[in-house]
């Protein structure tokens, strides 16, 4: 039986970074154990011109910048820098910033960011915690219960912003409670819930149960991103498995593709990665593929219709 042709329509990258090494201590300092393994090849500048070349090689027509952990006292400078890149090049088309959501002044910081640039559509503060130290970002598994954090999340509804939610399976029950308590805020689950060990049945079962709990919350959207994080390669079987689980649970109108560049360049290229995701989704309907590669991200991040 002949294979169906791969998706060839509009592609939006819902999750990428650009950076100057000097802006971020985690890149300019000594290497430490990280969730994605050794990272010497990306301890350098990755500027918008290089990203645009990568995007062009992959057929990407629009993109969303996501914060890569500037120091929390410089997150306004980050927005100013990205806004300047957009003014100069037209890229990226939307931006997810960062603020210290455990601080009483987070709302003021986010309002300043909003005034600086209409590109800012949301914020991310990574909450993932794991028993393995190299997988941790947050300093505890239950930071979502912090009252200051919850007040700041609730304030996103007034700002009209989304929150990019980055948690492991063991935190998804608490995440579902946070989401349910904030029906006026859209939550974007980063890296499809970060399945740490796709070969371990118990790990998969815990991840699947957490994903189903989040799928019951209509204000959660999922990013099909970052699947090389724990396996350090492009694995076609893993991409297809995760894509099917997400689409069957959330629906294609709540799922979207992203590259996670330049992190995924540790083991692949932008073109190879995008083609692998096109293969992984090749058995889904044309409407589902168009949702994942374009329509969902354009709606969620306010990018307008393709070609508009």
């Amino acid at each position: 039986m002949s294979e169906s042709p791969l998706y060839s329509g509009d592609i939006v990258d819902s999750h990428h970074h650009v950076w100057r090494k000097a802006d971020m201590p985690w890149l300019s300092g000594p290497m430490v154990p990280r969730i994605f393994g050794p990272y010497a090849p990306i301890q350098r500048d990755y500027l918008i011109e290089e990203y645009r070349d990568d995007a062009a090689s992959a057929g990407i027509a629009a993109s969303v910048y996501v914060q890569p952990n500037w120091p929390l006292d410089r997150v306004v400078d980050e927005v100013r820098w990205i806004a300047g890149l957009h003014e100069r090049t037209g890229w990226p088309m939307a931006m997810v910033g960062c603020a210290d959501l455990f601080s009483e002044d987070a709302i003021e910081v986010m309002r300043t960011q909003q005034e600086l640039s209409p590109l800012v559509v949301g914020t991310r503060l990574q909450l993932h915690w794991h028993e393995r130290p190299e997988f941790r970002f947050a300093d505890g598994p239950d930071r979502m219960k912090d009252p200051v954090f919850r007040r700041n999340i609730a304030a996103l509804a007034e700002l009209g912003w989304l929150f990019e939610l980055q948690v492991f399976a063991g935190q998804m029950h608490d995440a579902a409670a946070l989401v349910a308590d904030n029906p006026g805020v859209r939550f974007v689950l980063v890296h499809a819930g970060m399945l740490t060990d796709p070969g371990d049945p118990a790990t998969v079962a815990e991840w699947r149960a957490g994903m189903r709990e989040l799928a019951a919350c209509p204000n959660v959207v999922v990013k099909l991103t970052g699947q090389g994080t724990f396996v350090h390669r492009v694995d076609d079987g893993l991409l297809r498995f995760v894509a099917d689980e997400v689409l069957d649970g959330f629906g294609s109108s709540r799922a979207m593709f992203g590259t996670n560049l330049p992190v995924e360049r540790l083991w692949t290229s932008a073109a190879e990665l995008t083609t692998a995701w096109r293969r992984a989704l090749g058995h889904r309907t044309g409407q589902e593929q168009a949702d994942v590669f374009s329509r969902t991200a354009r709606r969620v991040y306010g990018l307008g219709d393709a070609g508009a």
Side-chain angles (χ1 to χ4, degrees), residues 8 26 30 40 43 51 81 95-96 107 120 131 168 222 243 279 308:
S8 59
W26 77 267
Q43 285 188 293
Y51 172 75
W81 182 59
M95 169 187 347
V96 175
I107 297 173
V120 189
E131 290 80 4
F168 286 115
V222 180
R279 286 195 301 267

Side-chain angles (χ1 to χ4, degrees), residues 31 115 121 180 218 278-279:
M31 189 183 301
E115 291 168 2
V121 296
R278 290 161 69 215
R279 286 195 301 267

Side-chain angles (χ1 to χ4, degrees), residues 10 12-13 22 50 57 61 84 102 114-115 145 147 160 195 205 218 222 228 237 261 277 286 291 294 300:
D10 179 62
V12 175
D13 182 355
E50 186 173 1
S57 75
F102 297 101
Q114 189 174 55
E115 291 168 2
K145 297 178 180 179
L195 176 58
V222 180
L261 290 174
W277 276 109
D291 282 347
S294 175
V300 168

Side-chain angles (χ1 to χ4, degrees):
M1 185 172 67
S2 62
E3 295 184 3
S4 300
L6 297 181
Y7 175 80
S8 59
D10 179 62
I11 299 178
V12 175
D13 182 355
S14 72
H15 191 109
H16 77 89
H17 315 292
V18 292
W19 57 50
R20 298 173 299 201
K21 177 181 175 180
D23 289 320
M24 291 182 295
W26 77 267
L27 277 176
S28 56
M31 189 183 301
V32 298
R34 295 252 171 211
I35 194 170
F36 38 73
Y39 54 95
I42 59 172
Q43 285 188 293
R44 62 176 182 83
D45 291 352
Y46 181 70
L47 303 178
I48 196 66
E49 291 78 10
E50 186 173 1
Y51 172 75
R52 289 177 69 187
D53 288 344
D54 281 341
S57 75
I60 292 166
S63 78
V64 180
Y65 166 88
V66 177
Q67 67 86 18
N69 297 320
W70 284 52
L72 289 172
D73 62 354
R74 293 197 59 214
V75 293
V76 171
D77 293 338
E78 177 185 14
V79 168
R80 187 178 290 111
W81 182 59
I82 296 296
L85 298 182
H86 174 82
E87 184 177 350
R88 179 167 59 83
T89 70
W91 292 72
M93 289 72 176
M95 169 187 347
V96 175
C98 184
D100 182 358
L101 298 177
F102 297 101
S103 171
E104 295 283 359
D105 68 355
I107 297 173
E108 181 182 347
V109 170
M110 291 188 289
R111 285 179 177 148
T112 299
Q113 292 171 324
Q114 189 174 55
E115 291 168 2
L116 269 174
S117 176
L119 294 178
V120 189
V121 296
T123 196
R124 177 176 79 152
L125 188 68
Q126 290 162 284
L127 300 169
H128 55 282
W129 186 93
H130 198 274
E131 290 80 4
R132 292 182 58 170
E134 72 271 27
F135 287 4
R136 294 177 192 165
F137 188 88
D139 58 9
D142 57 354
R143 295 291 276 149
M144 285 173 281
K145 297 178 180 179
D146 181 273
V148 174
F149 172 81
R150 293 181 79 88
R151 285 199 299 273
N152 287 326
I153 290 293
L156 296 177
E158 181 182 343
L159 290 170
W161 280 10
L162 54 80
F163 179 66
E164 303 242 334
L165 176 68
Q166 191 158 342
V167 293
F168 286 115
Q171 300 172 281
M172 287 181 184
H173 180 71
D174 285 347
L178 175 70
V179 169
D181 286 347
N182 292 278
V185 177
R186 176 177 279 137
F187 292 79
V188 179
L189 183 65
V190 175
H191 303 338
M194 299 201 299
L195 176 58
T196 58
D197 188 353
D200 177 56
T203 300
V204 172
E206 182 184 35
W207 172 78
R208 182 180 281 134
M211 293 292 282
R212 287 176 177 169
E213 192 169 3
L214 287 171
C217 304
N219 51 327
V220 176
V221 178
V222 180
K223 284 185 173 179
L224 294 175
T225 54
Q227 294 307 301
T229 299
F230 301 100
V231 298
H232 302 169
R233 66 183 185 275
V234 175
D235 184 322
D236 278 26
L238 175 61
L239 299 191
R240 179 162 175 162
F241 170 72
V242 170
D244 282 343
E245 288 282 327
V246 168
L247 267 64
D248 291 346
F250 290 80
S252 62
S253 65
R254 295 166 61 194
M256 52 190 171
F257 159 81
T259 65
N260 197 30
L261 290 174
V263 175
E264 295 257 342
R265 278 187 48 169
L266 289 170
W267 42 79
T268 190
S269 69
E272 290 167 346
L273 177 65
T274 305
T275 298
W277 276 109
R278 290 161 69 215
R279 286 195 301 267
L281 289 154
H283 63 296
R284 309 297 300 209
T285 69
Q287 176 176 324
E288 288 176 315
Q289 293 180 62
D291 282 347
V292 170
F293 282 109
S294 175
R295 291 194 292 236
T296 301
R298 286 189 175 278
R299 184 185 72 253
V300 168
Y301 293 106
L303 301 180
D305 295 333

